[in-house]
Amino acid sequence: MIKTPCVEMVSVKALSDEFGVAFGTSGVRGLVVDLTPELCFAFVTSFLQEVCPNTTHVAVGIDLRPSSPEIAKSVLFAIESHGAKATYCGALPTPALAFYGMQNSIPTVMITGSHIPFDRNGIKFYRPDGEISKANEVAIMNGEVSIPYNFLDKLVQLPSVSFSAIELFKKRYTSLFPESMLQGKRIGVYEHSSVARDVIKELLAHFGADVVSLERTETFVPIDTEAVSEEDIQKGLDWVAAYKLDAIISTDGDGDRPLVADEKGEWLRGDVLGVVCADYLEATHVAAPVNVNTILELQDKECKTLRTKIGSPYVIAGMDKLLSETPDAKIVGYEANGGFLVGSGFEINSQTLHALPTRDSILPALIVLAMSHQKKRPISQFTTEYLKRYTASGRIQNIPTEISRQIIIELRDNKVKQTELLVVIAREGEALEVVSIDETDGLRMTLNSGDIVHLRFSGNAPELRCYVEAKRKLLASEMVDVVLSHIGSF
């Protein structure tokens, strides 16, 4: 009698190619309909086999997307099939789950699509020491895994939620800053569908703030902190006027990228927020992607900077490189989207801030509020102390990656195309030239005016992104609009 096998061997890469799901700048991303239970099971099983083969315990969390709980069932089943214990932490910010894993020396898996539209989702993987590397991603994709037959019949309801991770995360911050630092302050929390909305309100209240809840939704809203919409820009201005707010705090969907507005209702650019936080912590070394503000290099301060490709795995690799070169360095990383990473331990108010080498939205928001308290000045005043370099960004959505790639190649190699672009962005009487090109990530052109135009295709979605840095705020925004409009005519 021939015994029928109870499992099927599959290639993760073949399965992911079949459904068009792959790793982006941070984690696996794809359409919900393509993130099948079998595919999610395969990715998590390969992660455990190839990256954390000896683990006996894994923590799992989700964001507030409607598809996340169902994906979590496959993730939990994969962990149990591997022979490990699974702790289900429910809905919580990505950095909270990652911090819990690092403090307990266990891997973690976060189901989230971050800021991308609700019809998409994804999975982020963390080793016990932090976010996985690009080399780990390759190993996961090359994995061969066993998937049980009658797979869907084996999925069960989600277990009860453990709140240990979120409680540990809150304690990370309550001991760092003066408990009364927000007394007399009125802080708005733009809640939308951010999984961090409740913990933000709890922390602000802990520090004495009068918290005003703004626009909480039960449907998922894809807030992109790197490309704040015109609608959200206006909301910030309106809310401050209506509620007399000292600041507004928000995040993207999974709570790893902050969005902070000053008392005027103006949202701070993420790379300016990063400079402010690096200064507050007195960092000696900074890793940051090529698209962030060049204030870093232009400041007259002794701080070594390392530019990387865009994406937190590259920033983390940069921080690791800096730490290996200077073991006693005080290292941070930050991104244009506001993501802030702590690469080494710091002392704040005689308390230890432990390293958290993944994006965190809570720390930078609290640092800005703490600086306003310490300087006894509103946020808009102390942020003007930095050099006048302004960045803006925008994107063309629903454009195939291959078309974006071809546009960038043409602009790099075709001088006629380059000149056409320079003519449309030049101001009256200005003769623009490209003086240098950086291809670390996409095409970053520095012009003879000192302005910078940077184009790259997204690793998360079918988008072509444009970043501009200029000496004037309005000019940066105008240049983004002109560049995207011109490229749209290609």
Side-chain angles (χ1 to χ4, degrees), residues 99-144:
F99 185 66
Y100 178 75
M102 292 175 215
Q103 293 301 300
N104 289 279
S105 299
I106 61 172
T108 56
V109 179
M110 180 71 184
I111 295 105
T112 179
S114 186
H115 65 282
I116 58 179
F118 80 98
D119 61 341
R120 298 171 180 268
N121 210 328
I123 306 175
K124 291 183 179 180
F125 301 96
Y126 293 83
R127 304 183 310 242
D129 61 341
E131 207 169 311
I132 62 171
S133 66
K134 288 297 178 181
N136 293 149
E137 291 179 3
V138 172
I140 293 169
M141 288 294 285
N142 290 334
E144 299 277 339

Side-chain angles (χ1 to χ4, degrees), residues 192-203:
H192 60 91
S193 52
S194 166
V195 75
R197 58 194 184 185
D198 290 332
V199 69
I200 290 174
K201 291 193 298 182
E202 289 175 30
L203 286 170

Side-chain angles (χ1 to χ4, degrees), residues 167-439:
E167 290 303 320
L168 181 66
F169 191 56
K170 286 189 285 189
K171 288 179 182 177
R172 172 176 168 81
Y173 300 109
T174 53
S175 63
L176 291 179
F177 303 102
E179 190 167 326
S180 61
M181 74 172 184
L182 298 181
Q183 286 285 352
K185 298 295 183 181
R186 194 168 170 82
I187 312 294
V189 178
Y190 179 16
E191 297 191 32
H192 60 91
S193 52
S194 166
V195 75
R197 58 194 184 185
D198 290 332
V199 69
I200 290 174
K201 291 193 298 182
E202 289 175 30
L203 286 170
L204 293 176
H206 168 84
F207 292 115
D210 176 12
V211 180
V212 179
S213 296
L214 303 168
E215 207 165 291
R216 186 183 184 99
T217 63
E218 296 309 316
T219 55
F220 188 82
V221 180
I223 299 293
D224 187 350
T225 62
E226 189 172 348
V228 181
S229 69
E230 290 297 325
E231 182 182 2
D232 284 333
I233 289 173
Q234 188 59 49
K235 284 178 181 178
L237 301 174
D238 293 342
W239 284 332
V240 162
Y243 298 103
K244 309 301 180 187
L245 302 175
D246 295 289
I248 304 171
I249 309 298
S250 189
T251 78
D252 64 342
D254 71 324
D256 69 347
R257 305 178 184 187
L259 192 58
V260 179
D262 61 22
E263 78 288 353
K264 297 179 180 180
E266 297 181 356
W267 301 106
L268 275 62
R269 288 289 303 178
D271 44 8
V272 173
L273 187 62
V275 174
V276 170
C277 294
D279 278 356
Y280 179 86
L281 294 175
E282 298 181 348
T284 60
H285 294 67
V286 176
V290 291
N291 66 318
V292 303
N293 203 308
T294 57
I295 290 174
L296 266 175
E297 287 80 6
L298 296 174
Q299 282 190 127
D300 185 21
K301 296 191 176 184
E302 294 182 2
C303 181
K304 180 175 179 179
T305 62
L306 174 65
R307 295 289 186 155
T308 72
K309 293 181 71 173
I310 296 171
S312 56
Y314 298 110
V315 176
I316 293 167
M319 292 195 302
D320 289 342
K321 182 176 186 295
L322 291 171
L323 191 61
S324 67
E325 294 171 350
T326 312
D328 61 345
K330 298 299 183 183
I331 301 173
V332 300
Y334 64 82
E335 302 171 278
N337 55 38
F340 192 77
L341 306 89
V342 180
S344 63
F346 287 86
E347 292 297 316
I348 299 181
N349 300 323
S350 301
Q351 300 294 322
T352 299
L353 174 68
H354 295 287
L356 180 53
T358 193
R359 293 169 179 153
D360 178 16
S361 64
I362 306 297
L363 180 62
L366 290 178
I367 283 178
V368 169
L369 295 173
M371 288 184 73
S372 178
H373 168 73
Q374 291 171 12
K375 292 175 178 285
K376 295 181 171 55
R377 283 188 287 165
I379 294 171
S380 67
Q381 288 188 13
F382 71 78
T383 53
T384 61
E385 296 173 359
Y386 298 92
L387 293 173
K388 300 295 189 258
R389 296 292 292 177
Y390 297 95
T391 54
S393 62
R395 56 187 173 171
I396 299 176
Q397 295 178 288
N398 301 316
I399 177 172
T401 298
E402 192 49 48
I403 292 179
S404 295
R405 191 194 311 272
Q406 188 57 42
I407 288 172
I408 290 172
I409 291 172
E410 284 189 18
L411 276 174
R412 182 195 66 191
D413 298 340
N414 190 323
K415 293 297 182 184
V416 173
K417 291 284 188 184
Q418 229 175 76
T419 301
E420 289 174 352
L421 176 62
L422 295 178
V423 167
V424 298
I425 64 177
R427 297 175 290 283
E428 187 175 351
E430 188 176 41
L432 293 180
E433 297 177 6
V434 176
V435 296
S436 67
I437 286 179
D438 186 330
E439 294 186 76

